[in-house]
Amino acid sequence: MTSGNFWDSDVWSFILILGTIGLTVLVAEALRNNIKWLKRSLIPSSVLGGMILLIISTIVFYATGGKDGGKYLFELPCFNGGTMSGMTILEILTYHCLGLGFVATALRPGSKKLTKQRAGEVFDSGVTTVSGYLLQGILGLVITIVAVLIGTQIWEGAGVLLPFGYGQGTGQAMNYGSMYGNSEMPWGFESIESGRSFGLAVAAMGFLSACIGGVIYMNIMRRKGKIVIKDEQKENITFDQIIGPNDTPMSGSVDKLTIQIGIVVAVYAVSYCLMEGICSLLNLGESMRATIFGFNFLIGTFLAIALKSIITGLNRKGRIKRQFLNGFMMNRISGFVFDFMVVAGIAAIRIDAISEYIGTLLIMGVIGALATYFYVKFICEKLFKDYAPQQFLAFYGMLTGTASTGIILLREIDDQFETPAADNLVYQNLPAIVFGFPLMLLGTFIYTGGEKITSPLSVYITLGLMVVFFVILQIILFRRKFFRKKSVENAETATKAQTPSE
């Protein structure tokens, strides 16, 4: 605060931005509930709200001069927070909402025990998720490499943002997009804004792909008589979901929601201390610091899982009598921050920064959506036969939007979550993190090349490694059929060898 006056726009800019996002979500929800075709499209209100703000922001930009000094909606004086523009605040919101949402999701207590069969399905779910990332990454890189070969002005490695935008959502797309334009390297995007906007645009197309593909699939399945789409859906929330037998009271000396938010924010703050400590102890440079802080959501998730394990252990030993973690409240917190993340991320797109990439973006979006659609459909029909339609919608929604998008699509045909599809989305996180971590490292290597390899070469090496990893994961996914066939052949050979000749 420069002047010390509480009526200055610097003081109110952040609140004005939050208020604008909140109001836009309400308008989007009202439109979605009152326009039938919009409701049937399954577009989440957060995505619709982000698109509304993006349209308004773009109109403001061109109305105020366009590339000749024009300003986007959130660059107007009322949204500027001192040294930061409103667009920068939107990007910061997107970054932190990603981490906070993952922490809240990881802190949800689990109560169901997995059988051997269910454990196998959860494992396959995690492998399928990472396979989807790799398929998107391979196709994205092939598209941008071909685009460069035919003379398009774009970085060869830009296609790697397809899995980060489609498979991991707005926050990660912006994180990596920023990294690819935030260095003195002679390659990458022209600027930080170009990288961020490219990644955010990919994520926005992912949400639209989730809605369009989900609707198409449900209509096909409905015509075949395999699913029933319910027009009206009611929330069936019991009191036990809100407050358990040993939970902290709803409104004691400290409100129950305050405790949940306090735990989430505290864990996320510790993740910052850990990341800063790692960077300081290892004396890391700018590019590696960007990589470490790009994993804010992952480090926050590990810390949340560790805290949850400690609290659970103390509860079992009787050292802690109360249940401090509440799944219902954590779902509400994660839903809130993810909604704001999506709106802020889409609204932060700078159309002028990606105008020259529009053709490549559209091709990536369409091919990415089609490939994800048919790949997930094939996997679900082969590995999740008992509930293939439900698992398809959950997977496809997650691999083109977020886990919440997958849940939105799933609820259209399984509102009571009677199939294991919803649980698979929750429990698959651990195997997905284990198998997906190398992909995140490749996302850094493709740009820095270990700071020793030139960018074009690192792009081709990354593409080759992705193909190898994808093939390995397919062998793991279909291990039962592959190794069972080999076992049967070996058994038959052994039997023939032991049979005496006549």
Side-chain angles (χ1 to χ4, degrees):
M1 192 164 55
T2 56
S3 62
N5 297 320
F6 290 108
W7 54 82
D8 288 343
S9 61
D10 292 357
V11 177
W12 286 93
S13 59
F14 186 71
I15 299 299
L16 289 175
I17 290 173
L18 291 179
T20 302
I21 292 175
L23 178 61
T24 307
V25 171
L26 293 178
V27 171
E29 178 68 9
L31 291 174
R32 188 176 182 275
N33 288 331
N34 289 283
I35 301 176
K36 290 185 178 180
W37 68 266
L38 204 54
K39 188 173 184 178
R40 290 174 182 172
S41 71
L42 302 180
I43 297 177
S45 297
S46 56
V47 176
L48 182 58
M51 298 301 293
I52 292 172
L53 281 180
L54 176 60
I55 292 171
I56 295 173
S57 183
T58 303
I59 292 173
V60 171
F61 174 72
Y62 285 106
T64 55
K67 293 186 178 181
D68 298 324
K71 293 184 179 295
Y72 287 97
L73 174 65
F74 290 97
E75 290 178 328
L76 297 178
C78 61
F79 293 114
N80 287 337
T83 58
M84 292 188 298
S85 72
M87 295 292 273
T88 302
I89 294 175
L90 286 179
E91 292 164 356
I92 291 173
L93 272 175
T94 304
Y95 173 79
H96 286 308
C97 283
L98 174 71
L100 290 167
F102 268 81
V103 169
T105 301
L107 284 171
R108 294 181 303 182
S111 58
K112 296 181 180 179
K113 292 184 178 180
L114 296 179
T115 62
K116 184 176 181 181
Q117 178 183 349
R118 287 290 299 117
E121 291 175 345
V122 168
F123 178 81
D124 288 342
S125 298
V127 177
T128 300
T129 299
V130 180
S131 294
Y133 296 161
L134 289 169
L135 178 62
Q136 291 167 347
I138 292 167
L139 292 173
L141 286 178
V142 169
I143 291 169
T144 48
I145 288 172
V146 171
V148 170
L149 292 176
I150 63 176
T152 305
Q153 295 299 314
I154 191 172
W155 174 48
E156 302 99 321
V160 79
L161 284 171
L162 183 59
F164 291 117
Y166 268 42
Q168 298 190 356
T170 310
Q172 273 299 84
M174 190 194 72
N175 284 355
Y176 277 87
S178 302
M179 185 191 307
Y180 299 150
N182 189 19
S183 177
E184 296 179 356
M185 297 281 191
W187 45 77
F189 291 99
E190 294 181 357
S191 63
I192 298 175
E193 289 76 15
S194 294
R196 286 176 180 170
S197 294
F198 191 94
L200 293 173
V202 172
M205 288 192 300
F207 284 110
L208 294 176
S209 299
C211 301
I212 295 171
V215 170
I216 291 174
Y217 181 83
M218 281 189 284
N219 285 328
I220 292 174
M221 290 293 103
R222 180 171 58 180
R223 288 170 187 165
K224 292 183 177 180
K226 294 186 177 182
I227 62 172
V228 176
I229 299 177
K230 301 177 182 179
D231 295 328
E232 296 293 334
Q233 299 190 8
K234 298 179 181 180
E235 297 259 18
N236 291 288
I237 299 173
T238 64
F239 183 76
D240 289 339
Q241 289 177 287
I242 300 174
I243 181 168
N246 295 320
D247 272 7
T248 54
M250 187 64 70
S251 56
S253 59
V254 179
D255 191 89
K256 189 179 185 67
L257 182 59
T258 304
I259 295 174
Q260 306 303 305
I261 294 176
I263 294 173
V264 171
V265 175
V267 170
Y268 189 57
V270 172
S271 71
Y272 165 76
C273 297
L274 181 59
M275 290 185 293
E276 183 61 32
I278 292 172
C279 293
S280 298
L281 287 173
L282 300 179
N283 194 25
L284 299 179
E286 182 180 345
S287 62
M288 285 306 299
R289 286 181 73 91
T291 302
I292 294 295
F293 276 87
F295 290 149
N296 66 318
F297 75 101
L298 190 58
I299 293 174
T301 299
F302 284 138
L303 289 175
I305 292 173
L307 177 62
K308 182 171 68 174
S309 300
I310 292 172
I311 292 177
T312 302
L314 292 175
N315 281 328
R316 288 174 180 171
K317 292 181 179 180
R319 301 289 179 85
I320 297 179
K321 304 296 182 181
R322 294 285 192 180
Q323 294 286 343
F324 287 99
L325 302 178
N326 182 274
F328 178 82
M329 293 290 186
M330 290 300 175
N331 282 335
R332 304 287 69 77
I333 293 171
S334 62
F336 168 75
V337 295
F338 280 146
D339 282 340
F340 265 60
M341 178 192 76
V342 171
V343 177
I346 295 176
I349 296 174
R350 300 172 186 265
I351 295 297
D352 66 310
I354 60 171
S355 57
E356 59 183 310
Y357 308 136
I358 290 296
T360 305
L361 275 168
L362 291 176
I363 293 172
M364 280 177 55
V366 172
I367 293 179
L370 290 174
T372 304
Y373 182 99
F374 289 109
Y375 176 73
V376 171
K377 185 173 181 292
F378 172 78
I379 292 294
C380 291
E381 290 175 351
K382 295 296 182 181
L383 300 181
F384 303 93
K385 295 180 180 179
D386 295 336
Y387 50 98
Q390 291 82 2
Q391 191 62 65
F392 170 86
L393 291 174
F395 272 157
Y396 180 75
M398 180 183 64
L399 285 172
T400 50
T402 61
S404 60
T405 313
I407 292 296
I408 289 171
L409 294 179
L410 176 62
R411 283 177 62 89
E412 294 294 321
I413 64 172
D414 186 14
D415 59 330
Q416 300 299 317
F417 300 138
E418 296 173 356
T419 66
D423 287 339
N424 288 345
L425 285 192
V426 175
Y427 293 118
Q428 61 88 31
N429 283 314
L430 183 57
I433 288 174
V434 172
F435 286 102
F437 189 71
L439 175 62
M440 296 179 185
L441 293 179
L442 285 176
T444 303
F445 173 83
I446 194 173
Y447 185 55
T448 64
E451 299 183 351
K452 296 179 181 180
I453 304 174
T454 59
S455 177
L457 181 57
S458 66
V459 170
Y460 286 105
I461 292 174
T462 300
L463 176 59
L465 290 174
M466 282 187 173
V467 172
V468 171
F469 289 157
F470 181 77
V471 171
I472 292 173
L473 289 187
Q474 302 322 294
I475 295 174
I476 293 174
L477 269 179
F478 295 98
R479 61 194 178 280
R480 299 179 188 89
K481 294 185 179 181
F482 180 77
F483 291 110
R484 182 182 299 170
K485 183 178 179 181
K486 290 292 184 182
S487 299
V488 171
E489 290 177 354
N490 292 336
E492 291 177 351
T493 302
T495 302
K496 291 179 180 179
Q498 292 175 2
T499 303
S501 57
E502 295 180 0

